[in-house]
Structure formats: C-alpha cells, structure tokens
Amino acid sequence: MSPGAASNGHVTRARPTELLRIATAGSVDDGKSTLIGRLLYDSKQILADQLEHVVSSSERRGDGYLNLALLTDGLRAEREQGITIDVAYRYFQTKRRKFIIADTPGHEQYTRNMVTGASTADLSVVLVDARKGVSEQTRRHAYIASLLRIPHLVVCVNKMDLVDYDEEVFERIEDEMTDWAARLDIWDITFIPISALHGDNVVDRSTNMGWYGGPPLLYHLEHVVIATDRNLTDVRFPVQWVIRPMDDAHHDYRGYAGQVAAGVLRAGDEVSVMPGGQRTRIAAIDTLDGEIEAAFPTMSVTVRLEDEIDVSRGDMIVNPDDPPVAGRELEAMICWMSSQPMTPGARYALKHTTRTVRAVVEELEYKIDVNELEHLKAPELGLNEIGRVKLRTSAPVMVDRYRRNRTVGSFILIDEATNDTCLLYTSPSPRDR
C-alpha cells in the first residue's frame, strides 16, 4: 500500500466532472477575447471584483460599452493595441462540465503562441468575421488544428449583427470552410452563427436568427462527446519517478509513478517494460487516496509490479502484445518556435514523455505553405514555420504515430546552449512502421 493510503483496501472514488480543454483561434479582431468574456459573463462565472475592474477599464478607455475582451487580454500591450499576444487561460464550469479555455493569438507573428495553447486541446473554436469571410489566417488556424489532431472543430461565424443576421452570409462561409476542411484531416466540424458582442447564440439561443436550427455554443461545448477521443486500447505508462520511501511503515515499498498516457491499467495485467522488454504483472495501483482497481488516461498513479526488475525514469510500461516502436530514427511534422532557424546538422536535446535523449537533425524534407498546402524545398525552417524533418537520436525512444496517441506521438526539442524550447508539438512517426 502506498504511503498515506487508506487501510481498508480498494477505494471507491466518485466520478470526477468531465473536463473539456478548448483553444480559440481566429484572425486579429475576429472577437476571440470578446467571445470568451461573453461566455464567462452570461454563464455568471465572473467575480464581482473582476466585473468592477472591467467596467472601470472600459470607462477609462472610452469604449462606450462593457468590453468583455478585457477579461482575457491581460498584458498592457494587448490592451493598447487591441490584440491578443500571450496565451490567456480561463477556467469555468457549469453543472455538466468543467472547462479550460486557452485564448490564443490570431496574428501570424504569434503562431507559436497559438500552437502552445492548442497543443492539449480537445476542441478548437475558430472565429470568422461575418463581414470579411474566410481569410488566410482562418485557413491557417484550421490547418494547425488538423495538424495537432484536435478532435473537434467549431467554426463560429461572429459579428452576425453587422451583416443584419443574414443567413446567406453564414451559408457562404460554411460552404467555403467545408471545402477547405475536406482538404485537411478534420474529424468533426460544427458551424454556429453568433454575435459575441450581443450574446447571440453564445449562451442563449438568438431571437435574431430564427433560421438557425442548431444549439448555442455553450450547449454544444457541454454536450460534445470526448470520451471516445481517448485511446483506451494501447497501454502506455511513461515512468516519471521511482518511489522508495524507505521508512519503517513502507520499508519494502517500490512503486513507479507517472501519468497514464493511453490504455487501461488493471491489477493482475501482464505488462512489459521498454526499452528492455522485461515481462511482469501489475501487483497493485496506488493513489494518494488508496489502492484502486484500474487507471485510465490521464490519471496520475503509482504502479507496483510483481517482480523486482530494473525500471527507471524514462522507461515505459506497456502491453507486451501491442508495444510502441522503439527506434532511433524518426520523421516528424514540426512547428518551429525559435528565432534561431533550424538547419540540417543541428543538435538538440529531445524530450519525449519522461525520457530525454540527444538528437541531430539529419534532413529538412520540406516546409509547408499553409495557405496553399504546398510542399516547398528550403535550406532552413524559420520562426512559426511548419515542416517535415528526419531526426536521429542517441538512444531509442518509444513512439506511436501521433494520429494514434497525441502524448506518446509528440516531443519537444531544446537548445541546450540557451535552454530555449525550440520546437513544441510534433508528430513523430518511426520509419520502420
């Protein structure tokens, strides 16, 4: 039994409220921050002092209305320029679900910030200005959402009040985005006409758009099904820490702590430890509240094994009949996030789950023109550019294809000279699979 665990054996835990991670995206001035502010305001998730601050800030700026965008645009430069630069996270919940919203920048200059905020999202909300229609940035954000394998995409056609709530405007944008999405790998796409400024179809159904038969945005966010997005087939448990209390109460205790990346871990299951391949069985699964019978993504647990085998940080506990590929040669789609360009021959530290190895860039195969989806030959990959590279690592890493597992199929590169995180969110695919 783990330190601090209850002494009455298995613990029955109440099912936690389901969490939905949302990333917003859209061109500058499409109304992302206003939409999030409207969600918080109309769902009564704003504290009194927060509301007072927004009211006073709106009056001081001379906006002439309650500027809900100020709830998320926290940097002074953001408020002065009226744009989002940094990723702002907001938390709220309803009776049905908890939400984490990442308000990401719309400007192409801050693409890396957008990728950071969207990297763990379950759903992406892409805003389109009804007056301007689908822009290059709109297509860019939809492409990035597909690259990051965000399972659900909601296209909110905003500022419908400025086009007299015209159904034809909405349908024209819907048709254009549907054609673009057909060229991408997007699983689920939904279109909602809204006015974030006035609250139409945000929390409550709009009386100005009787022609729209779908639900308002909040209802859709509360009911979109995300349970099936989790990979419950492939057992993947990266070991983060070896727990050895070595006290009188737990003198012989040895457990392996980490977060379940995929699959279901159960006591008694046969597993193997990679990269060594040693086989054993799970003796028990512990949490701070006590021993449990099974663990699912994304639970943080401590696993005890029946046999005393060599397991350390960076190893991975897996299903022996369905292991990931362990290899030193990788191909990856990357979004480059450093001001120093990436060139073939460059060396970095590669962090994959809990394992860190050295890596060298063998080849830049191509970079992508996101607006036209063309593959272009280039000598280097610059800031905010996306491309495909070949890497060789100093030691094996255990990877799945990114489309199968976003956690085990992603990594970051770190410039060890500056400690800059040079690359965030990638899709590695072993060459021998």
Side-chain angles (χ1 to χ4, degrees), residues 28-326:
V28 175
D29 293 332
D30 277 353
K32 299 179 301 300
S33 299
T34 301
L35 173 60
I36 295 175
R38 175 62 64 183
L39 272 173
L40 298 174
Y41 182 75
D42 284 2
S43 60
K44 298 178 174 56
Q45 298 291 316
I46 303 175
L47 299 176
D49 58 341
Q50 290 177 307
L51 183 58
E52 290 176 4
H53 178 68
V54 172
V55 170
S56 62
S57 296
S58 299
E59 293 175 349
R60 187 167 57 252
R61 287 162 47 94
D63 290 327
Y65 62 93
L66 183 62
N67 190 343
L68 296 174
L70 299 178
L71 283 167
T72 55
D73 285 341
L75 298 179
R76 178 177 299 177
E78 294 177 326
R79 299 190 180 202
E80 290 176 349
Q81 300 178 57
I83 63 173
T84 299
I85 297 174
D86 197 17
V87 180
Y89 294 92
R90 291 296 178 265
Y91 308 82
F92 76 103
Q93 71 178 81
T94 63
K95 292 182 179 180
R96 187 175 183 88
R97 182 171 273 173
K98 292 181 179 179
F99 303 92
I100 299 178
I101 303 180
D103 183 20
T104 65
H107 199 286
E108 183 176 354
Q109 178 182 352
Y110 304 113
T111 296
R112 59 179 175 179
N113 302 51
M114 183 253 178
V115 172
T116 300
S119 61
T120 58
D122 302 301
L123 180 145
S124 178
V125 175
V126 175
L127 272 76
V128 179
D129 189 324
R131 301 167 301 170
K132 301 176 183 178
V134 178
S135 65
E136 288 187 0
Q137 277 296 85
T138 305
R139 290 192 289 270
R140 183 182 186 87
H141 292 144
Y143 172 75
I144 292 174
S146 70
L147 179 69
L148 298 180
R149 302 292 295 178
I150 299 175
H152 309 280
L153 179 66
V154 178
V155 178
C156 287
V157 182
N158 192 24
K159 304 187 180 182
M160 288 296 296
D161 54 304
L162 299 182
V163 294
D164 296 325
Y165 302 102
D166 191 338
E167 181 180 5
E168 291 186 2
V169 172
F170 173 74
E171 290 180 343
R172 185 167 59 249
I173 293 173
E174 182 179 17
D175 291 342
E176 188 173 350
M177 275 300 293
T178 299
D179 291 342
W180 178 250
R183 302 175 61 185
L184 308 176
D185 195 6
I186 295 177
W187 305 347
D188 173 41
I189 183 169
T190 301
F191 295 88
I192 303 176
I194 68 169
S195 170
L197 183 63
H198 299 291
D200 294 276
N201 283 336
V202 178
V203 172
D204 301 312
R205 185 182 296 276
S206 172
T207 58
N208 296 308
M209 291 179 278
W211 45 265
Y212 171 68
L217 177 61
L218 182 59
Y219 183 92
H220 179 77
L221 298 179
E222 286 183 317
H223 292 83
V224 63
V225 178
I226 61 173
T228 55
D229 300 334
R230 304 279 190 258
N231 183 332
L232 300 178
T233 304
D234 308 319
V235 174
R236 304 289 187 263
F237 184 73
V239 176
Q240 182 176 3
W241 200 256
V242 179
I243 297 181
R244 291 293 310 277
M246 298 297 291
D247 56 22
D248 292 338
H250 308 91
H251 184 75
D252 296 322
Y253 186 92
R254 184 194 301 269
Y256 308 101
Q259 186 178 67
V260 182
V264 181
L265 299 173
R266 293 185 176 87
D269 284 354
E270 184 179 16
V271 294
S272 64
V273 180
M274 294 187 70
Q278 310 96 315
R279 291 200 177 203
T280 183
R281 291 186 179 275
I282 297 176
I285 303 171
D286 297 327
T287 70
L288 185 64
D289 298 323
E291 187 176 322
I292 59 175
E293 295 181 355
F296 309 85
T298 52
M299 294 175 61
S300 294
V301 298
T302 299
V303 174
R304 285 183 280 150
L305 303 176
E306 289 185 354
D307 303 300
E308 293 188 5
I309 58 180
D310 183 15
V311 183
S312 59
R313 176 183 172 86
D315 291 347
M316 187 178 295
I317 297 174
V318 304
N319 183 334
D321 298 323
D322 182 29
V325 171

Side-chain angles (χ1 to χ4, degrees), residues 252-430:
D252 296 322
Y253 186 92
R254 184 194 301 269
Y256 308 101
Q259 186 178 67
V260 182
V264 181
L265 299 173
R266 293 185 176 87
D269 284 354
E270 184 179 16
V271 294
S272 64
V273 180
M274 294 187 70
Q278 310 96 315
R279 291 200 177 203
T280 183
R281 291 186 179 275
I282 297 176
I285 303 171
D286 297 327
T287 70
L288 185 64
D289 298 323
E291 187 176 322
I292 59 175
E293 295 181 355
F296 309 85
T298 52
M299 294 175 61
S300 294
V301 298
T302 299
V303 174
R304 285 183 280 150
L305 303 176
E306 289 185 354
D307 303 300
E308 293 188 5
I309 58 180
D310 183 15
V311 183
S312 59
R313 176 183 172 86
D315 291 347
M316 187 178 295
I317 297 174
V318 304
N319 183 334
D321 298 323
D322 182 29
V325 171
R328 295 178 55 198
E329 294 183 330
L330 302 173
E331 294 182 358
M333 291 295 297
I334 66 173
C335 178
W336 195 248
M337 306 179 71
S338 173
S339 56
Q340 182 68 32
M342 185 219 71
T343 57
R347 298 177 182 273
Y348 303 94
L350 184 151
K351 189 176 187 306
H352 171 258
T353 63
T354 58
R355 190 175 183 84
T356 301
V357 297
R358 302 291 188 276
V360 60
V361 179
E362 287 192 323
E363 181 184 351
L364 170 58
E365 295 188 46
Y366 57 81
K367 70 177 181 180
I368 295 176
D369 179 342
V370 175
N371 298 316
E372 300 297 333
L373 299 184
E374 294 181 354
H375 296 178
L376 307 175
K377 286 294 184 180
E380 62 183 28
L381 200 64
L383 176 64
N384 293 323
E385 292 185 326
I386 296 170
R388 187 173 184 87
V389 301
K390 292 181 180 179
L391 303 168
R392 178 179 291 273
T393 61
S394 60
V397 290
M398 290 72 71
V399 298
D400 288 312
R401 287 189 180 276
Y402 184 68
R403 66 174 56 250
R404 188 169 182 87
N405 190 312
R406 293 172 71 189
T407 301
V408 182
S410 63
F411 56 81
I412 62 173
L413 295 179
I414 303 169
D415 187 331
E416 294 185 283
T418 63
N419 285 329
D420 286 343
T421 301
C422 298
L423 166 146
L424 181 61
Y425 237 80
T426 59
S427 7
S429 53

